Amino acid sequence: MSSKGGKGTEAIGYSHDRRDLTATPLCGAHRNTGKNALLVKPMLGTVKATTYDLPKDFEHEYGLAQVRDGLTSEMVVGSWAHHDGTQGMMPARDFKSLNKAAVVSGCVDTKAIADFRKTHDIRLKLGSEKRVEKKPYDENTAFGRPTRPSTPFGNIVSHGFRYDWVMTAEPAESAVQRMKPKKPTPTRSSLGHAAANKAKLAKSQTEEIVAPPESTWKMSKFSNVPSKIGKQG
């Protein structure tokens, strides 16, 4: 936006306000574009002309002018001012305690109470002057459900948990013996059948021992000749 025009141009300020003198001259009757932005004719190499008046001063500042005070962000952060609150302020007067003290001293009307306030002064107690309340907890007390301890990563990498499980687990022999099928519990009927079979077996064995030997058939001429081979051959 220089005020000096080049060769063949008219120097009138802004670039979009200049008219190229080497271009085809305007012939006939024509009118200015005025305030209608649709009738503004663009010019090659410049921005589109505006329909409102701009200040002629190129150093004009739009909006609120900022006055530099010389402070920088480094200076502001480096010299941070801490807030002291109301620590250094004197507390307000305690009119409730003043009125009570005036009545106790014998002041019964407003004038006497006002005179008593001029000669006496009682201030409100700040929060730091209050009695410390005893609480059933201290700064080391934790509320809520405690968090579980963190898992040691070294035991995970070195298979420490596996070795602990092997040491505390049941031996394989005991597990095999425990998994073997167990003998069913005998019932009354099975016990009765077993006792009957046992008695029958004992009776048969006794009869075999007591019974006389069976006589074998022999020819009459060999009846007195003993056998040399037993019954089983």
Side-chain angles (χ1 to χ4, degrees), residues 1 14 52-66:
M1 296 188 298
Y14 292 96
Y52 47 85
D53 296 333
L54 296 177
K56 300 301 181 181
D57 186 9
F58 293 130
E59 297 182 357
H60 177 76
E61 295 183 2
Y62 295 90
L64 180 63
Q66 296 183 357

Side-chain angles (χ1 to χ4, degrees), residues 92-103:
R93 300 184 69 185
D94 190 357
F95 291 98
K96 184 177 180 180
S97 300
L98 284 172
N99 295 339
K100 182 178 180 180
V103 173

Side-chain angles (χ1 to χ4, degrees), residues 15-38:
S15 60
H16 54 74
D17 291 336
R18 303 174 191 172
R19 188 172 64 86
D20 191 0
L21 300 178
T22 61
T24 303
L26 299 176
C27 300
H30 62 278
R31 62 178 180 177
N32 296 328
T33 57
K35 303 297 182 181
N36 192 347
L38 299 177

Side-chain angles (χ1 to χ4, degrees), residues 129-156:
E129 298 178 1
K130 294 182 179 179
R131 295 179 58 184
V132 179
E133 182 182 358
K134 293 184 179 180
K135 299 180 180 179
Y137 55 88
D138 54 4
E139 61 275 3
N140 297 325
T141 305
F143 298 92
R145 187 176 181 180
T147 57
R148 60 179 296 274
S150 60
T151 303
F153 190 75
N155 293 345
I156 298 177

